Amino acid sequence: TMVDPNGNESSATYFILIGLPGLEKAQFWLAFPLCSLYLIAVLGNLTVIYIVRTEHSLHEPMYIFLCMLSGLDILISTSSMPRMMAIFWFNSTTIQFDACLLQMFAIHSLSGMESTVLLAMAFDRYVAICHPLHHATVLTLPRVTKIGMAAVVRGTALMAPLPIFIKRLPFCRSNILSHSYCLHQDVMKLACADIRVNIIYGLIVIISAIGLDSLLISLSYLLILKTVLGLTREAQAKAFGTCVSHVCAVFIFYVPFIGLSMVHRFGKQHDSLLPIIMANTYLLVPPVLNPIVYGVKTKEIRQHIFRLFHVTTHTSDP
């Protein structure tokens, strides 16, 4: 519900997305590099999916999880970037309440799914390095598929209460959101009712998903490090080489996410550009960088990319 000028509550019908406050005149031109990055993200991740899908030698758990990560990256960037382009290019700042709710649900649930896939990838590296003889029996293709389905169910289930907690709120003060798309932290601040339930719900989701996943990923790499230190130099280099791409993907995803959450919960300036820039970075940079990181650091992916684009290479690095 919204509160009209006379103090009466009425149904919320729309919100206003302001894009980049203070940079309204520059938004039109800033949209071009942002759109280019979005296209790079989509094409890069589609290339990874195509290569893994068509090359039978890559039908292994690590690459299947990478396909899942690429698919989620496309969906996450697509859930926000086209809307952002409409704001910057056409000044289309109005978003209907239900559309805002849907976008909010999509962004948060897809982020939860991506966190789960990153955890699954860490588990795959743990089994492959610490228990290599059991890797083929522990991570079978049917089991990998079930893990992917579990990621979808978990991300959806964690966000299932979100529409209920938002629809129960009466909105007043303003209907202007400080981001280029809808986020739970941003929307609930416009409510003129007690939002403690929403705050507690948000903290529970972050702790049970992002917090738990990052803790388990850290634990898996501590165990991997303990195992790797007991190997020969050559074996150490090979083991670390298989983990570098995933470690980069973990930092690329979690650092902006945790930083944005901290700024929203403890930041004092509501109209600051910092959380807005961080939010745009969080949704766009991982989809752009992940296929680049895996393309550069993973020999098998790199070779198939060269082959796909008919590029010859004479490198002999592992």
Side-chain angles (χ1 to χ4, degrees):
T1 57
M2 292 289 292
V3 177
D4 62 26
N6 296 323
N8 301 315
E9 292 186 358
S10 58
S11 296
T13 56
Y14 66 93
F15 291 108
I16 303 295
L17 301 169
I18 61 172
L20 299 175
L23 297 175
E24 289 82 3
K25 293 183 179 179
Q27 284 182 167
F28 180 84
W29 301 109
L30 289 173
F32 287 97
L34 286 175
C35 184
S36 299
L37 288 174
Y38 171 63
L39 292 176
I40 291 170
V42 172
L43 291 174
N45 285 289
L46 283 176
T47 300
V48 170
I49 294 172
Y50 174 78
I51 289 173
V52 174
R53 187 175 183 274
T54 55
E55 295 293 335
H56 292 287
S57 62
L58 300 182
H59 290 183
E60 299 177 5
M62 182 174 75
Y63 300 110
I64 295 173
F65 285 135
L66 177 57
C67 264
M68 296 179 190
L69 187 69
S70 294
L72 289 169
D73 277 340
I74 292 173
L75 292 175
I76 287 176
S77 57
T78 302
S79 67
S80 60
M81 290 308 298
R83 180 73 223 181
M84 198 183 304
M85 296 303 101
I87 296 171
F88 292 177
W89 276 334
F90 308 111
N91 198 32
S92 178
T93 57
T94 301
I95 184 169
Q96 297 301 311
F97 179 83
D98 289 336
C100 182
L101 203 60
L102 179 62
Q103 185 184 54
M104 193 189 317
F105 178 84
I107 290 172
H108 290 301
S109 60
L110 289 168
S111 298
M113 295 174 201
E114 181 151 341
S115 180
T116 306
V117 170
L118 287 170
L119 174 59
M121 295 173 82
F123 178 69
D124 169 67
R125 291 300 84 207
Y126 163 73
V127 177
I129 294 173
C130 299
H131 305 283
L133 298 179
H134 300 289
H135 186 256
T137 55
V138 172
L139 283 167
T140 60
L141 292 182
R143 193 163 292 167
V144 169
T145 303
K146 290 179 181 178
I147 291 173
M149 294 172 63
V152 174
V153 171
R154 184 193 186 208
T156 304
L158 283 171
M159 289 301 124
L162 180 62
I164 299 172
F165 288 143
I166 291 296
K167 284 194 171 184
R168 75 178 184 87
L169 293 174
F171 293 94
C172 54
R173 304 188 184 103
S174 171
N175 65 341
I176 300 176
L177 298 174
S178 62
H179 282 36
S180 305
Y181 49 85
C182 296
L183 286 177
H184 178 225
Q185 305 98 309
D186 201 20
V187 172
M188 70 178 182
K189 288 180 179 179
L190 299 182
C192 53
D194 189 347
I195 59 172
R196 279 181 294 183
V197 172
N198 292 68
I199 294 173
I200 293 170
Y201 164 69
L203 287 173
I204 290 173
V205 169
I206 289 178
I207 293 171
S208 61
I210 306 301
L212 179 61
D213 291 352
S214 57
L215 179 64
L216 292 175
I217 290 171
S218 301
L219 178 61
S220 70
Y221 274 104
L222 285 175
L223 296 173
I224 288 172
L225 184 62
K226 181 181 177 182
T227 300
V228 169
L229 290 177
L231 302 176
T232 64
R233 287 280 182 89
E234 185 178 348
Q236 284 180 353
K238 185 177 181 180
F240 281 129
T242 64
C243 296
V244 168
S245 300
H246 179 253
V247 171
C248 290
V250 167
F251 276 100
I252 288 168
F253 176 79
Y254 283 108
V255 171
F257 185 96
I258 294 173
L260 178 63
S261 298
M262 299 299 279
V263 168
H264 269 294
R265 295 187 192 287
F266 303 110
K268 299 297 182 182
Q269 295 181 349
H270 181 71
D271 59 347
S272 173
L273 269 176
L274 178 62
I276 300 170
I277 293 172
M278 290 180 68
N280 294 339
T281 301
Y282 147 63
L283 288 181
L284 186 58
V285 171
V288 171
L289 292 184
N290 281 338
I292 295 174
V293 168
Y294 275 94
V296 170
K297 290 294 183 180
T298 308
K299 179 183 178 182
E300 292 78 7
I301 296 290
R302 186 171 67 247
Q303 287 178 337
H304 286 98
I305 289 175
F306 287 146
R307 191 180 306 166
L308 179 65
F309 294 101
H310 306 291
V311 177
T312 57
T313 177
H314 303 286
T315 57
S316 58
D317 55 314

